[in-house]
């Protein structure tokens, strides 16, 4: 009798109890996640699941039930599954027959061929490696499509961020920070720490790892650590690593000998090249030192994070899911988060990275020839099936405040970061300016906070030109330039500037808070009507 009952019990567990226990949403409140499971167990006769035959407390029965091992093999346990499979097959066959009967005969063969091709493509895609170009292309285009759909469907695509988050996060306690610096820029780290203290203390006493290309002043030589890890993980760096190992040796020798001038010269010459070697050792050591952190952020020594926005963003994301977010740059083959804007990686993603020796060894080898370390982070995580989540990219900024490009599509969006704060006063000025804000600030708010007074010279509201700006030649006056922006191009133009010496008018689909223009800029301005409309939209969100 017992031989018959046990398989039935196991089938009931698999088919009914486990689905019921997992029916509650993963983020449900405690009464759902515990009480419902107790009710399920108490609804079953005592003794069925291997517990005592006399009725006891339901929680005891529940733990006894969970502790009872399931047999790995038994022919009877598959009876229910086989029956359900047969029923499902019959239903699918019946539905397929019903659909087929209503399709004209001339279309049946083409549809069958099309179905076969689609299924074959899905199977082929399924077996592509995580870091393949095909998967990268699909993820890239899916992200762009999703962004377009969200932008068309919602007036405020960031409305979800303005409701209370479900995950608590304390940025000074729950985040591990990896700060990259170089010998020539080491003074920025102190300025960075001081600035964060003035604006709320993002960096805690623990959980910060500063890496560079030398040891000293609280900085860990990540390159020496990298050479050590290559030996530990069996990476052959004799050929590819010879040049970079030699350059690192020259820099260390100059530093250790006290030749400051030579060290600074070498740092400027190839410090950027050595930077790519800091990421993998830094990430590995950061996680192993602080595995309890919920999030990990990679920063340059001239990056500033806006605390209220960072807290709000992370409070809506589950750290126990593999997240990789930041300012998206690069093409579809290697879409990656720009390091200067800040790279955010969840605990789950870092766990997967730190526990995969093959991926670590591969990435250490690639770091010997890779130019951009932030790109290396992306290709490393891609090997684990973790891709950049571009939905959050528009919150990250890779510029200092005065030339931050405030575009229409992100005018109302909260901003997380600033970059290129390289002068001794830049970081301090930014921290003091943002200190009064206790809530997330939007990109549009920057125009008010950092907008420069017009007295004392022309304020450039376009900023540096690139392939996204439009230039008209033979524009004789500033008024004509303004009309080209506000009238002829009113659908997209937000700012303009007139170059009198070249008789050229430059316009942009963004506006910057402003910096002093060159002597050739005779006038510059913004499309006021468009800016007023954007501010009204933010107020209504």
């Amino acid at each position: 009798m017992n031989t018959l009952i046990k398989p039935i019990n196991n089938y009931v567990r698999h088919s009914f109890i486990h689905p019921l226990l997992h029916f509650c949403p993963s983020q449900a409140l405690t009464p759902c996640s515990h009480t419902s499971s107790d009710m399920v167990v108490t609804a079953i006769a005592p003794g069925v699941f291997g517990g005592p035959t006399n009725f006891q407390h339901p929680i005891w029965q529940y733990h006894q039930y969970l502790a009872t091992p399931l047999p790995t093999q038994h022919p009877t346990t598959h009876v229910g599954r086989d029956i359900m499979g047969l029923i499902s097959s019959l239903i699918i066959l019946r539905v397929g027959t019903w659909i087929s009967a209503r399709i004209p005969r001339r279309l049946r063969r083409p549809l069958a061929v099309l179905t076969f091709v689609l299924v074959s493509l899905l199977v082929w895609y399924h077996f592509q490696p995580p870091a393949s170009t095909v998967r990268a292309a699909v993820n890239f285009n899916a992200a762009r499509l999703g962004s377009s759909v969200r932008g068309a469907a919602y007036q405020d695509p960031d409305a979800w961020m303005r409701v209370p988050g479900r995950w608590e996060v304390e940025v000074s306690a729950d985040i591990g920070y990896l700060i990259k610096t170089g010998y020539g820029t080491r003074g920025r780290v102190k300025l960075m720490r001081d600035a964060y203290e003035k604006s709320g203390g993002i960096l805690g006493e623990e959980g910060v790892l500063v890496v560079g290309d030398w040891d000293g002043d609280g900085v860990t030589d990540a390159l020496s650590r990298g050479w050590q890890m290559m030996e530990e993980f069996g990476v052959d760096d004799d050929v590819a690593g010879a040049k970079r190992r030699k350059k690192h040796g020259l820099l260390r020798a100059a530093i250790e000998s006290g030749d400051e001038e030579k060290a600074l010269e070498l740092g400027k010459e190839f410090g950027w090249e050595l930077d790519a070697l800091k990421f993998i050792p830094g990430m590995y050591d950061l996680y192993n030192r602080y595995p309890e952190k919920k999030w990990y952020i990679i920063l340059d020594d001239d990056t500033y994070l806006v605390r209220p926005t960072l807290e709000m963003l992370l409070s809506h994301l589950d750290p126990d899911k593999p997240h990789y977010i930041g300012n998206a740059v690069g093409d579809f083959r290697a879409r990656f988060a720009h390091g200067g804007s800040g790279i955010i990686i969840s605990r789950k993603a870092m766990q997967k990275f730190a526990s995969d020796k093959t991926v670590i060894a591969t990435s250490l080898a690639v770091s010997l020839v890779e130019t951009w370390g932030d790109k290396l982070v992306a290709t490393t995580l891609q090997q684990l099936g973790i891709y950049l989540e571009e939905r959050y990219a528009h919150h990250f900024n890779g510029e200092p405040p005065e030339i931050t490009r405030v575009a229409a599509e992100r005018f109302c969006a909260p901003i997380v970061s600033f970059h290129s704060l390289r002068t001794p006063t830049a970081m301090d000025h930014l921290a003091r300016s943002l200190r009064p804000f206790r809530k997330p600030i939007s990109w549009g708010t920057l125009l008010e906070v950092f907008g420069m007074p017009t007295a004392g010279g022309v304020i450039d509201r376009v900023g540096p030109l690139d392939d996204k700006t439009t230039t008209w030649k033979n524009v004789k006056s500033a008024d004509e330039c303004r009309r080209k922006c506000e009238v002829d191009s009113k659908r997209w133009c937000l700012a303009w500037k007139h170059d009198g010496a070249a008789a050229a008018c430059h316009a942009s689909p963004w506006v910057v808070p402003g910096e002093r223009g060159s002597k050739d800029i005779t006038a510059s301005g913004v499309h006021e009507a468009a800016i007023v409309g954007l501010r009204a939209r933010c107020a209504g969100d």
Side-chain angles (χ1 to χ4, degrees):
M1 185 66 178
N2 194 39
T3 305
L4 178 63
I5 291 296
K6 280 190 175 181
I8 296 175
N9 288 342
N10 292 327
Y11 173 68
V12 170
R13 288 188 199 177
H14 281 298
S15 302
F16 299 100
I17 303 301
H18 278 297
L20 285 171
L21 292 179
H22 291 86
F23 177 75
C24 287
S26 59
Q27 305 307 325
L29 298 176
T30 302
C32 177
S33 59
H34 293 285
T35 306
S36 60
S37 57
D38 297 338
M39 291 171 62
V40 170
V41 176
T42 54
I44 309 299
V48 172
F49 297 112
T53 54
N54 58 316
F55 184 83
Q56 296 195 20
H57 195 279
I59 295 181
W60 186 94
Q61 288 189 347
Y62 175 54
H63 287 294
Q64 283 294 102
Y65 156 67
L66 291 180
T68 307
L70 295 175
T72 55
Q73 291 183 344
H74 200 293
T76 316
T77 60
H78 300 292
V79 172
R81 186 172 60 190
D82 292 341
I83 293 174
M84 293 303 297
L86 178 61
I87 294 174
S88 300
S89 299
L90 291 174
I91 293 174
I92 293 172
L93 180 62
R94 180 61 179 169
V95 172
T97 304
W98 183 83
I99 294 175
S100 178
R102 283 156 178 77
I103 297 176
R105 186 178 297 275
R106 68 180 184 278
L107 297 179
R108 292 179 187 177
R109 182 177 294 276
L111 286 176
V113 173
L114 178 61
T115 302
F116 174 77
V117 171
L118 290 176
V119 171
S120 299
L121 287 174
L122 287 173
V123 172
W124 174 73
Y125 176 79
H126 176 75
F127 286 101
Q128 291 295 307
S132 70
T133 303
V134 174
R135 284 188 178 270
V138 170
N139 278 279
F140 172 71
N141 287 288
R144 297 191 68 179
L145 177 62
S147 178
S148 299
V149 170
R150 284 191 297 270
Y154 305 103
Q155 184 178 8
D156 180 14
D158 299 308
W160 61 275
M161 289 185 64
R162 295 183 172 87
V163 298
R166 300 165 69 180
W167 290 273
E168 292 185 4
V169 59
E170 168 53 52
V171 295
S172 60
D174 296 331
I175 300 177
Y177 295 91
L178 178 65
I179 302 175
K180 299 186 303 84
T181 189
Y183 186 74
T185 63
R186 62 193 185 280
R188 295 178 187 168
V189 177
K190 184 180 184 306
L191 297 174
M192 182 185 200
R193 286 182 175 274
D194 292 344
Y196 281 138
E197 283 299 320
K198 293 174 182 176
S199 58
I202 283 183
L203 303 179
E205 295 182 2
E206 294 185 351
V208 179
L209 177 60
V210 183
V211 295
D213 37 31
W214 88 104
D215 278 314
D217 302 323
V219 179
T220 299
D221 186 350
L223 278 72
S224 294
R225 174 64 176 134
W227 308 130
Q228 179 186 359
M229 287 178 62
M230 289 179 193
E231 294 180 4
E232 294 175 0
F233 287 86
V235 177
D236 181 9
D237 68 323
D238 290 343
V239 178
K243 292 183 178 180
R244 290 189 174 179
R245 187 188 282 267
K246 180 180 179 180
K247 291 177 179 178
H248 178 226
L250 292 173
L251 178 60
R252 279 191 63 100
I255 295 172
E256 292 171 358
S257 66
D259 191 343
E260 182 79 1
E261 183 178 351
K262 184 65 174 179
L264 293 175
E265 178 186 340
L266 293 174
K268 289 181 180 179
E269 181 181 349
F270 48 69
W272 61 271
E273 183 181 348
L274 300 179
D275 187 69
L277 296 165
K278 302 171 187 174
F279 283 81
I280 301 303
M283 290 170 60
Y284 184 75
D285 285 348
L286 179 67
Y287 175 76
N288 284 296
R289 289 189 189 187
Y290 310 107
E292 75 285 355
K293 300 297 183 181
K294 297 178 181 179
W295 296 93
Y296 300 87
I297 302 182
I298 304 174
L299 301 171
D300 285 353
D301 56 16
D302 58 349
T303 303
Y304 184 88
L305 298 175
V306 182
R307 176 171 184 155
T309 309
L310 180 64
E311 288 179 331
M312 181 177 68
L313 174 63
L314 296 184
S315 71
H316 289 81
L317 299 173
D318 185 353
D320 291 318
K321 291 185 178 180
H323 291 291
Y324 163 47
I325 59 180
N327 188 4
V329 295
D331 60 21
F332 75 92
R333 290 167 294 184
R335 198 73 166 157
F336 61 96
H338 173 234
S341 305
I343 302 173
I344 300 179
I345 305 174
S346 68
R347 173 169 55 198
K348 183 64 175 180
M350 286 288 273
Q351 284 175 348
K352 295 183 70 174
F353 158 74
S355 61
D356 196 315
K357 294 184 178 180
T358 301
V359 168
I360 293 172
T362 301
S363 298
L364 285 170
V366 174
S367 70
L368 298 172
V369 294
E370 178 58 70
T371 302
W372 310 113
D374 42 10
K375 178 182 175 183
L376 178 61
V377 174
T379 55
T380 298
L381 295 177
Q382 283 175 7
Q383 296 178 66
L384 300 167
I386 302 171
Y387 301 89
L388 179 64
E389 298 175 58
E390 299 200 30
R391 178 182 182 182
Y392 312 107
H394 63 289
H395 299 295
F396 295 80
N397 172 38
E399 302 291 349
E402 59 272 9
I403 59 171
T404 292
R405 296 177 172 182
V406 182
E409 62 270 15
R410 56 190 177 191
F411 197 91
C412 306
I415 186 170
V416 170
S417 58
F418 296 90
H419 182 229
S420 296
L421 302 164
R422 296 171 179 171
T423 65
T425 59
M427 188 80 73
D428 180 72
H429 173 66
L430 177 59
R432 290 179 182 275
S433 299
L434 298 183
R435 183 189 299 175
F437 293 90
R438 293 292 179 262
K439 294 182 179 180
I441 64 171
S442 67
W443 290 72
T445 305
L446 303 181
L447 301 180
E448 304 169 12
V449 177
F450 298 101
M452 297 186 67
T454 55
V458 176
I459 306 302
D460 183 356
R461 307 309 298 271
V462 173
L465 305 178
D466 63 12
D467 58 345
K468 294 182 180 179
T469 54
T470 299
T471 298
W472 295 284
K473 297 182 179 179
N474 298 318
V475 178
K476 305 298 183 181
S477 68
D479 283 341
E480 184 182 354
C481 183
R482 178 183 57 79
R483 285 195 300 272
K484 283 188 171 295
C485 173
E486 297 182 2
V487 179
D488 299 344
S489 308
K490 62 181 180 180
R491 289 183 176 274
W492 60 266
C493 182
L494 289 184
W496 58 272
K497 63 180 177 181
H498 182 249
D499 185 340
C505 177
H506 308 289
S508 62
W510 61 75
V511 55
V512 302
E515 61 178 353
R516 299 295 177 192
S518 69
K519 61 181 181 180
D520 294 330
I521 302 300
T522 55
S524 182
V526 301
H527 186 182
E528 290 290 352
I531 298 299
V532 169
L534 290 172
R535 285 177 174 152
R537 188 181 71 180
C538 296
D541 289 340

